[in-house]
Amino acid sequence: NTSASASRSVTAYSNPLYSATSHKMATNGEKQKFLLYGKNGWIGGMLIELIKAAGDEVVLGNARLENREAVAAEIDAVKPTRVLNAAGVTGRPNVDWCEFNKQTVIRTNIIGCLNLADLCWQRQLHCTLYATGCIFEYDDAHPLGGGVSTAFTEEDRANFTGSYYSLTKGFCEEMLRAYLDHLTVLRVRMPISDDLSPRNFITKISKYEKVVNIPNSMTVLHDLLPASLALSKRKLSGIYNFCNPGAISHNECLELYKKHVDPDYTWTNFTLEEQDKILAAKRSNNELDCSKLVNALPDLEIPEIHVAVDRCCARMKKNLDAQGWKPTPRGS
């Protein structure tokens, strides 16, 4: 994909701290040595499997990102060719947790994230951050149902501050723009996996008593995680709306879950206003324009979101059948 890479406006390094001792960067065809932070996380675990399957090496970072000196020492000892940051605090069981643990959120999501970006920048080391696209909400310029022509682009600045989690992520993205000559920031949205992981967006909404029904951009990890490693290997830096093309509603997701996984599944909707009354923090709803990502990787298929979720639920059914899983009967 040399021609595609060349056609992208990839910023060359102009790092005044560069020295002959900076770690040699591997080229596209060479085996990579990834240093991964977030080894115990949901996305981190999937990345470990993908990297190994591709025949590349992955070293699991042990330093806590808020401890700058420890991270610096680890990078210098490992001498990776690429760094991946899948660490972060989202809150358990959901982002409402962040409203009551603000210092922990700052420590990991801002201090730790900036530490790693800055240390990699000093070493001319390409870093990929699995960030969030939940920093936007529909507004007059980006209306609900406006489609790709009014969707948020990578140049748009965060406009959603309804949750402390999103507020810190929006602040952090703005500061990270200073590092984009070596940094790839991936705006993940409502991630969906091929299983019933509690982190999977479909798993979450399938367990809610009531759900809203709003079209959103979403990230089907089966399609997008390999794309993230391609961006890293090719050093395609910058911010990317990291989702499948288009927007899909909660009901459309649940209809596909019902079609493939649990034919007896039923659900009840309620309004955004009713949802806000039962949550400590508001939730982000938006559509992101991901054409920059699709155009950057013309050799990879990133299917439209309805197609992607349909395929995902079919894979989920196959995986669950292999495990002997059966849906819980309604009312039990």
Side-chain angles (χ1 to χ4, degrees), residues 188-248:
V188 179
R189 282 230 72 220
M190 297 177 165
I192 298 172
S193 59
D194 295 5
D195 56 20
L196 285 177
S197 161
R199 308 301 305 282
N200 179 356
F201 175 73
I202 291 179
T203 307
K204 288 181 180 181
I205 64 171
S206 72
K207 294 182 182 303
Y208 292 163
E209 286 186 26
K210 295 181 179 180
V211 294
V212 294
N213 184 37
I214 303 171
N216 272 279
S217 286
M218 298 187 194
T219 302
V220 175
L221 296 171
H222 174 273
D223 306 322
L224 275 297
L225 288 187
S228 72
L229 296 178
L231 290 172
S232 173
K233 289 182 179 184
R234 299 170 195 183
K235 288 194 272 182
L236 294 179
S237 301
I239 296 171
Y240 287 87
N241 287 336
F242 194 62
C243 47
N244 296 74
I248 189 168

Side-chain angles (χ1 to χ4, degrees), residues 168-195:
T168 62
K169 288 291 192 174
F171 285 159
C172 196
E173 182 184 279
E174 194 61 36
M175 290 182 277
L176 289 170
R177 288 179 184 269
Y179 296 100
L180 292 181
D181 58 349
H182 83 289
L183 178 68
T184 299
V185 177
L186 304 177
R187 291 174 173 170
V188 179
R189 282 230 72 220
M190 297 177 165
I192 298 172
S193 59
D194 295 5
D195 56 20

Side-chain angles (χ1 to χ4, degrees), residues 19-312:
S19 71
T21 59
S22 290
H23 307 317
K24 180 175 178 285
M25 303 289 286
T27 56
N28 289 351
E30 292 180 6
K31 181 177 177 179
Q32 301 295 337
K33 185 178 186 180
F34 290 97
L35 174 57
L36 170 72
Y37 288 97
K39 63 181 179 180
N40 296 322
W42 181 46
I43 286 178
M46 286 186 266
L47 287 171
I48 293 168
E49 291 184 17
L50 282 172
I51 292 166
K52 288 180 176 177
D56 292 308
E57 182 180 356
V58 58
V59 178
L60 308 182
N62 289 314
R64 295 202 61 82
L65 294 181
E66 59 264 35
N67 299 335
R68 184 183 176 93
E69 291 76 14
V71 176
E74 188 162 56
I75 292 172
D76 292 337
V78 171
K79 295 182 171 55
T81 60
R82 301 287 188 276
V83 175
L84 304 175
N85 182 5
V89 173
T90 55
R92 296 287 186 280
N94 55 49
V95 296
D96 283 356
W97 180 92
C98 298
E99 304 297 313
F100 311 102
N101 296 272
K102 293 181 178 179
Q103 295 77 13
T104 304
V105 175
I106 290 172
R107 209 171 293 129
T108 304
N109 291 359
I110 294 187
I111 297 172
C113 189
L114 292 174
N115 270 343
L116 187 60
D118 189 59
L119 289 166
C120 289
W121 184 85
Q122 289 179 333
R123 291 158 175 76
Q124 284 201 303
L125 188 53
H126 188 274
C127 180
T128 298
L129 169 65
Y130 295 84
T132 184
C134 293
I135 56 175
F136 299 103
E137 63 180 342
Y138 291 116
D139 61 14
D140 291 343
H142 310 87
L144 174 66
V148 71
S149 62
T150 60
F152 291 93
T153 72
E154 286 79 2
E155 299 308 310
D156 284 314
R157 272 26 186 207
N159 74 340
F160 176 69
T161 58
S163 72
Y164 194 73
Y165 169 80
S166 293
L167 180 69
T168 62
K169 288 291 192 174
F171 285 159
C172 196
E173 182 184 279
E174 194 61 36
M175 290 182 277
L176 289 170
R177 288 179 184 269
Y179 296 100
L180 292 181
D181 58 349
H182 83 289
L183 178 68
T184 299
V185 177
L186 304 177
R187 291 174 173 170
V188 179
R189 282 230 72 220
M190 297 177 165
I192 298 172
S193 59
D194 295 5
D195 56 20
L196 285 177
S197 161
R199 308 301 305 282
N200 179 356
F201 175 73
I202 291 179
T203 307
K204 288 181 180 181
I205 64 171
S206 72
K207 294 182 182 303
Y208 292 163
E209 286 186 26
K210 295 181 179 180
V211 294
V212 294
N213 184 37
I214 303 171
N216 272 279
S217 286
M218 298 187 194
T219 302
V220 175
L221 296 171
H222 174 273
D223 306 322
L224 275 297
L225 288 187
S228 72
L229 296 178
L231 290 172
S232 173
K233 289 182 179 184
R234 299 170 195 183
K235 288 194 272 182
L236 294 179
S237 301
I239 296 171
Y240 287 87
N241 287 336
F242 194 62
C243 47
N244 296 74
I248 189 168
S249 70
H250 297 63
N251 281 7
E252 287 172 321
C253 287
L254 291 173
E255 282 161 8
L256 290 169
Y257 174 78
K258 181 182 176 81
K259 169 186 169 184
H260 289 287
V261 180
D262 184 355
D264 296 327
Y265 180 77
T266 58
W267 68 94
T268 306
N269 289 125
F270 66 158
T271 66
L272 199 56
E273 292 72 26
E274 288 171 321
Q275 178 186 255
D276 288 344
K277 290 177 183 175
I278 64 166
L279 299 174
K282 292 185 177 182
R283 300 296 191 262
S284 160
N285 293 287
N286 65 61
E287 181 173 353
L288 304 180
D289 176 2
C290 63
S291 55
K292 177 182 175 182
L293 174 70
V294 172
N295 293 335
L297 301 169
D299 53 322
L300 297 187
E301 184 195 9
I302 303 177
E304 190 275 335
I305 188 61
H306 295 84
V307 174
V309 175
D310 187 65
R311 291 177 182 173
C312 179

Side-chain angles (χ1 to χ4, degrees), residues 194-195 260-261 311-325:
D194 295 5
D195 56 20
H260 289 287
V261 180
R311 291 177 182 173
C312 179
C313 288
R315 290 190 303 268
M316 187 188 298
K317 169 65 172 169
K318 188 175 179 181
N319 293 338
L320 292 170
D321 283 349
Q323 296 167 15
W325 179 86

